[in-house]
Amino acid sequence: MSCHLRLAALDTVLDVEWPALTPVTFVEALTHAWSRCVVDEQARRTAPSVGALSIKSPADDDEAIRAALQRLSQDVTHRLIAAQTGRLLMFHAGAVSDPATGSTLVFVAPSGTGKTTLARLLGRTYSYLTDETVGIDPATGGVRPYPKPLSVSHGGGWRKVETSPEDLGLLPSHPEPVVSRIVLLNRNEGAPPSVATDELGTLDAIAALVPETSALNRLPRPLHAVAGLLDRAGPLLRLTYRESGDLVPLASQLIEGTP
Protein backbone atom coordinates (compact mmCIF):
# COMPACT_ATOMS: atom_id res chain seq x y z
CA MET A 1 0.00 0.00 0.00
CA SER A 2 1.28 3.46 -0.89
CA CYS A 3 2.30 5.64 2.04
CA HIS A 4 1.62 8.99 0.43
CA LEU A 5 -1.06 10.92 -1.41
CA ARG A 6 -0.55 13.81 -3.82
CA LEU A 7 -2.95 16.74 -3.50
CA ALA A 8 -3.35 19.70 -5.84
CA ALA A 9 -5.18 22.80 -4.61
CA LEU A 10 -4.74 26.57 -4.59
CA ASP A 11 -2.49 26.04 -7.63
CA THR A 12 -0.05 24.09 -5.43
CA VAL A 13 1.01 20.45 -5.14
CA LEU A 14 1.42 18.89 -1.70
CA ASP A 15 2.33 15.30 -0.82
CA VAL A 16 0.83 13.88 2.37
CA GLU A 17 2.85 11.03 3.90
CA TRP A 18 2.11 8.57 6.70
CA PRO A 19 3.94 5.67 8.42
CA ALA A 20 3.81 2.21 6.86
CA LEU A 21 1.77 0.74 9.75
CA THR A 22 -0.96 3.38 9.56
CA PRO A 23 -4.43 1.75 9.78
CA VAL A 24 -6.00 1.07 6.38
CA THR A 25 -9.27 2.56 7.67
CA PHE A 26 -7.55 5.93 8.14
CA VAL A 27 -5.88 5.87 4.72
CA GLU A 28 -9.18 5.03 3.04
CA ALA A 29 -11.00 7.78 4.95
CA LEU A 30 -8.28 10.31 4.08
CA THR A 31 -8.29 9.40 0.38
CA HIS A 32 -12.07 9.59 0.18
CA ALA A 33 -12.39 12.87 2.08
CA TRP A 34 -9.80 14.57 -0.15
CA SER A 35 -10.98 12.94 -3.40
CA ARG A 36 -11.55 16.29 -5.17
CA CYS A 37 -7.90 17.29 -4.61
CA VAL A 38 -6.15 13.96 -5.29
CA VAL A 39 -3.96 13.84 -8.42
CA ASP A 40 -1.57 11.26 -9.83
CA GLU A 41 2.21 11.37 -9.64
CA GLN A 42 2.67 13.08 -13.00
CA ALA A 43 -0.08 15.66 -12.60
CA ARG A 44 0.35 19.39 -12.17
CA ARG A 45 4.07 19.47 -12.87
CA THR A 46 3.74 23.18 -13.68
CA ALA A 47 2.33 23.99 -10.26
CA PRO A 48 4.72 24.80 -7.41
CA SER A 49 5.36 21.90 -5.02
CA VAL A 50 5.71 22.44 -1.30
CA GLY A 51 7.21 19.03 -0.61
CA ALA A 52 5.69 16.62 1.89
CA LEU A 53 3.52 16.92 4.96
CA SER A 54 4.27 13.99 7.29
CA ILE A 55 1.46 12.95 9.61
CA LYS A 56 1.31 10.66 12.62
CA SER A 57 -0.58 7.39 12.52
CA PRO A 58 -3.82 7.59 14.54
CA ALA A 59 -5.27 4.72 16.53
CA ASP A 60 -7.62 2.45 14.60
CA ASP A 61 -10.88 3.80 15.99
CA ASP A 62 -13.47 6.22 14.65
CA GLU A 63 -12.82 9.05 17.10
CA ALA A 64 -9.05 9.03 16.61
CA ILE A 65 -9.46 8.97 12.82
CA ARG A 66 -11.98 11.82 12.93
CA ALA A 67 -9.61 13.96 15.03
CA ALA A 68 -6.64 13.13 12.78
CA LEU A 69 -8.57 14.18 9.66
CA GLN A 70 -9.52 17.47 11.28
CA ARG A 71 -5.88 18.20 12.16
CA LEU A 72 -4.86 17.27 8.63
CA SER A 73 -7.34 19.74 7.10
CA GLN A 74 -5.87 22.53 9.21
CA ASP A 75 -2.28 21.55 8.41
CA VAL A 76 -2.91 21.26 4.66
CA THR A 77 -4.63 24.66 4.61
CA HIS A 78 -1.72 26.29 6.44
CA ARG A 79 0.80 24.75 4.03
CA LEU A 80 -1.12 25.87 0.96
CA ILE A 81 -1.53 29.40 2.27
CA ALA A 82 2.19 29.58 3.02
CA ALA A 83 3.00 28.35 -0.50
CA GLN A 84 0.93 31.10 -2.12
CA THR A 85 1.97 33.92 0.20
CA GLY A 86 2.98 36.89 -1.92
CA ARG A 87 1.32 35.39 -5.02
CA LEU A 88 -2.41 35.12 -4.42
CA LEU A 89 -4.90 37.39 -2.70
CA MET A 90 -6.35 35.01 -0.11
CA PHE A 91 -9.56 35.40 1.85
CA HIS A 92 -11.12 33.45 4.71
CA ALA A 93 -14.12 32.66 2.55
CA GLY A 94 -16.18 30.15 0.64
CA ALA A 95 -16.85 30.21 -3.08
CA VAL A 96 -19.04 28.63 -5.74
CA SER A 97 -19.26 29.29 -9.46
CA ASP A 98 -21.67 28.97 -12.33
CA PRO A 99 -20.86 25.52 -13.79
CA ALA A 100 -21.25 26.84 -17.34
CA THR A 101 -19.52 30.23 -17.21
CA GLY A 102 -17.20 30.05 -14.20
CA SER A 103 -18.72 33.28 -12.80
CA THR A 104 -17.82 33.04 -9.12
CA LEU A 105 -19.39 34.30 -5.92
CA VAL A 106 -16.96 34.70 -3.01
CA PHE A 107 -18.54 34.91 0.46
CA VAL A 108 -16.15 36.26 3.06
CA ALA A 109 -16.71 35.74 6.79
CA PRO A 110 -15.07 34.66 10.05
CA SER A 111 -15.41 31.07 11.29
CA GLY A 112 -18.79 30.04 12.63
CA THR A 113 -20.86 32.38 10.49
CA GLY A 114 -22.26 29.91 7.98
CA LYS A 115 -19.69 29.63 5.15
CA THR A 116 -19.66 25.83 5.15
CA THR A 117 -23.45 25.59 5.35
CA LEU A 118 -23.85 28.07 2.49
CA ALA A 119 -21.26 26.21 0.41
CA ARG A 120 -23.24 22.99 0.95
CA LEU A 121 -26.53 24.62 -0.03
CA LEU A 122 -25.20 26.38 -3.13
CA GLY A 123 -22.80 23.61 -4.16
CA ARG A 124 -25.64 21.32 -5.20
CA THR A 125 -26.53 23.78 -7.99
CA TYR A 126 -23.22 25.58 -8.55
CA SER A 127 -19.62 24.37 -8.76
CA TYR A 128 -18.09 23.95 -5.31
CA LEU A 129 -14.70 25.69 -5.07
CA THR A 130 -14.04 25.84 -1.32
CA ASP A 131 -15.58 26.50 2.08
CA GLU A 132 -12.40 27.76 3.75
CA THR A 133 -9.78 29.69 1.76
CA VAL A 134 -10.30 31.50 -1.55
CA GLY A 135 -7.15 32.29 -3.53
CA ILE A 136 -7.47 34.90 -6.27
CA ASP A 137 -4.93 36.02 -8.85
CA PRO A 138 -4.94 39.80 -8.27
CA ALA A 139 -3.99 40.49 -11.90
CA THR A 140 -6.74 38.47 -13.58
CA GLY A 141 -9.39 37.74 -10.97
CA GLY A 142 -8.93 34.02 -11.59
CA VAL A 143 -9.90 31.85 -8.62
CA ARG A 144 -7.70 28.90 -7.63
CA PRO A 145 -10.01 26.09 -6.43
CA TYR A 146 -9.50 24.41 -3.06
CA PRO A 147 -12.29 21.77 -2.97
CA LYS A 148 -11.35 20.41 0.45
CA PRO A 149 -13.54 18.20 2.60
CA LEU A 150 -16.19 20.11 4.53
CA SER A 151 -16.35 20.01 8.32
CA VAL A 152 -19.96 18.99 8.91
CA SER A 153 -21.85 18.56 12.19
CA HIS A 154 -22.64 14.91 12.79
CA GLY A 155 -25.97 13.90 14.28
CA GLY A 156 -27.00 17.49 14.90
CA GLY A 157 -24.46 17.96 17.69
CA TRP A 158 -21.11 19.69 18.18
CA ARG A 159 -19.13 16.79 16.71
CA LYS A 160 -17.69 17.70 13.30
CA VAL A 161 -16.69 15.20 10.61
CA GLU A 162 -14.49 15.95 7.57
CA THR A 163 -16.84 15.04 4.73
CA SER A 164 -16.06 14.62 1.04
CA PRO A 165 -17.87 16.95 -1.38
CA GLU A 166 -18.87 13.74 -3.19
CA ASP A 167 -20.88 12.56 -0.19
CA LEU A 168 -22.72 15.89 -0.05
CA GLY A 169 -23.61 15.88 -3.74
CA LEU A 170 -21.64 19.02 -4.54
CA LEU A 171 -20.82 19.82 -8.17
CA PRO A 172 -17.18 19.63 -9.37
CA SER A 173 -15.10 22.80 -9.55
CA HIS A 174 -15.23 24.80 -12.77
CA PRO A 175 -11.85 24.52 -14.56
CA GLU A 176 -11.39 28.30 -14.92
CA PRO A 177 -13.46 30.17 -12.33
CA VAL A 178 -13.24 33.96 -12.24
CA VAL A 179 -14.50 36.13 -9.39
CA SER A 180 -17.57 38.11 -10.37
CA ARG A 181 -18.94 39.21 -6.98
CA ILE A 182 -17.76 39.37 -3.38
CA VAL A 183 -20.08 39.55 -0.38
CA LEU A 184 -19.39 39.90 3.32
CA LEU A 185 -21.49 37.66 5.56
CA ASN A 186 -22.90 39.11 8.78
CA ARG A 187 -24.87 36.50 10.68
CA ASN A 188 -27.34 37.83 13.25
CA GLU A 189 -29.64 35.38 14.98
CA GLY A 190 -32.05 38.23 15.72
CA ALA A 191 -32.30 39.31 12.08
CA PRO A 192 -35.58 38.89 10.16
CA PRO A 193 -35.89 36.11 7.56
CA SER A 194 -35.35 38.62 4.75
CA VAL A 195 -31.70 39.40 4.02
CA ALA A 196 -30.55 42.99 4.59
CA THR A 197 -28.03 44.26 2.03
CA ASP A 198 -25.65 47.17 2.55
CA GLU A 199 -23.41 48.44 -0.23
CA LEU A 200 -20.03 49.50 1.17
CA GLY A 201 -17.86 52.23 -0.30
CA THR A 202 -14.31 51.35 -1.30
CA LEU A 203 -12.61 52.45 1.93
CA ASP A 204 -15.19 50.78 4.16
CA ALA A 205 -15.04 47.66 2.01
CA ILE A 206 -11.24 47.46 2.29
CA ALA A 207 -11.44 47.97 6.06
CA ALA A 208 -14.00 45.15 6.31
CA LEU A 209 -12.10 42.70 4.09
CA VAL A 210 -8.55 43.14 5.38
CA PRO A 211 -9.14 41.26 8.70
CA GLU A 212 -10.36 38.26 6.69
CA THR A 213 -7.25 37.96 4.50
CA SER A 214 -4.16 35.77 4.86
CA ALA A 215 -0.63 37.21 4.47
CA LEU A 216 -1.98 40.28 2.70
CA ASN A 217 1.08 42.36 3.60
CA ARG A 218 3.30 40.02 1.57
CA LEU A 219 1.65 41.03 -1.71
CA PRO A 220 3.07 43.94 -3.71
CA ARG A 221 0.88 47.00 -3.01
CA PRO A 222 -1.60 44.95 -0.95
CA LEU A 223 -4.32 47.57 -0.48
CA HIS A 224 -4.20 48.39 -4.19
CA ALA A 225 -4.71 44.67 -4.86
CA VAL A 226 -7.88 44.64 -2.73
CA ALA A 227 -9.12 47.88 -4.30
CA GLY A 228 -8.47 46.49 -7.79
CA LEU A 229 -10.47 43.37 -6.96
CA LEU A 230 -13.36 45.51 -5.75
CA ASP A 231 -13.25 47.47 -9.01
CA ARG A 232 -13.56 44.15 -10.83
CA ALA A 233 -16.15 42.48 -8.61
CA GLY A 234 -17.65 45.25 -6.50
CA PRO A 235 -19.28 46.99 -4.96
CA LEU A 236 -18.93 44.89 -1.81
CA LEU A 237 -22.27 43.89 -0.33
CA ARG A 238 -22.63 43.17 3.39
CA LEU A 239 -25.40 40.63 3.87
CA THR A 240 -27.06 40.52 7.28
CA TYR A 241 -29.05 37.33 7.76
CA ARG A 242 -30.39 34.87 10.30
CA GLU A 243 -29.91 31.47 8.66
CA SER A 244 -27.68 30.44 5.75
CA GLY A 245 -30.67 29.18 3.82
CA ASP A 246 -32.05 32.72 3.72
CA LEU A 247 -29.10 33.70 1.51
CA VAL A 248 -29.66 31.17 -1.27
CA PRO A 249 -32.07 33.15 -3.52
CA LEU A 250 -29.94 36.31 -3.40
CA ALA A 251 -26.70 34.35 -3.85
CA SER A 252 -28.16 32.68 -6.94
CA GLN A 253 -29.06 36.07 -8.41
CA LEU A 254 -25.54 37.37 -7.80
CA ILE A 255 -23.93 34.32 -9.43
CA GLU A 256 -26.18 34.42 -12.46
CA GLY A 257 -26.14 38.22 -12.78
CA THR A 258 -29.92 38.51 -12.58
CA PRO A 259 -31.69 41.45 -10.88
Side-chain angles (χ1 to χ4, degrees):
M1 180 179 66
S2 174
C3 293
H4 77 278
L5 194 68
R6 174 158 291 179
L7 305 178
L10 278 180
D11 204 27
T12 305
V13 169
L14 171 65
D15 289 323
V16 178
E17 298 179 344
W18 53 86
L21 297 180
T22 296
V24 173
T25 48
F26 171 73
V27 176
E28 291 176 343
L30 183 161
T31 303
H32 182 67
W34 286 89
S35 59
R36 291 281 177 91
C37 297
V38 174
V39 292
D40 63 35
E41 289 297 319
Q42 302 303 316
R44 302 297 295 273
R45 288 296 187 187
T46 59
S49 173
V50 290
L53 172 62
S54 297
I55 57 178
K56 296 180 179 179
S57 174
D60 193 6
D61 68 77
D62 290 345
E63 191 61 28
I65 290 173
R66 181 192 68 81
L69 289 175
Q70 283 193 321
R71 289 194 300 271
L72 177 64
S73 285
Q74 295 169 0
D75 291 344
V76 169
T77 298
H78 291 158
R79 283 288 191 98
L80 296 177
I81 289 174
Q84 290 297 345
T85 292
R87 298 185 178 92
L88 297 181
L89 183 53
M90 292 178 284
F91 292 100
H92 191 205
V96 296
S97 63
D98 186 307
T101 67
S103 174
T104 298
L105 174 69
V106 176
F107 35 99
V108 179
S111 297
T113 51
K115 291 192 306 299
T116 294
T117 301
L118 185 58
R120 289 179 60 188
L121 293 171
L122 293 173
R124 299 181 187 126
T125 304
Y126 303 101
S127 296
Y128 168 65
L129 300 180
T130 188
D131 75 330
E132 174 65 27
T133 299
V134 176
I136 301 170
D137 183 330
T140 67
V143 180
R144 304 298 185 252
Y146 180 26
K148 57 179 286 294
L150 297 86
S151 189
V152 176
S153 296
H154 183 73
W158 59 269
R159 187 170 178 265
K160 297 288 187 78
V161 176
E162 298 302 294
T163 307
S164 169
E166 302 287 349
D167 294 339
L168 297 171
L170 307 188
L171 298 186
S173 298
H174 190 279
E176 296 182 351
V178 177
V179 62
S180 60
R181 203 63 193 262
I182 303 176
V183 297
L184 184 67
L185 302 187
N186 178 34
R187 187 175 184 182
N188 182 348
E189 293 183 356
S194 58
V195 179
T197 62
D198 297 303
E199 185 177 306
L200 302 185
T202 300
L203 292 180
D204 288 337
I206 291 173
L209 289 175
V210 165
E212 303 305 331
T213 61
S214 297
L216 178 64
N217 64 334
R218 300 288 296 276
L219 279 174
R221 305 178 73 200
L223 297 184
H224 286 81
V226 177
L229 184 64
L230 290 170
D231 285 342
R232 175 188 297 272
L236 180 69
L237 291 180
R238 180 170 55 208
L239 309 182
T240 301
Y241 65 102
R242 183 168 61 188
E243 300 292 341
S244 296
D246 300 335
L247 294 168
V248 171
L250 176 58
S252 298
Q253 292 174 6
L254 293 173
I255 295 167
E256 297 171 8
T258 56

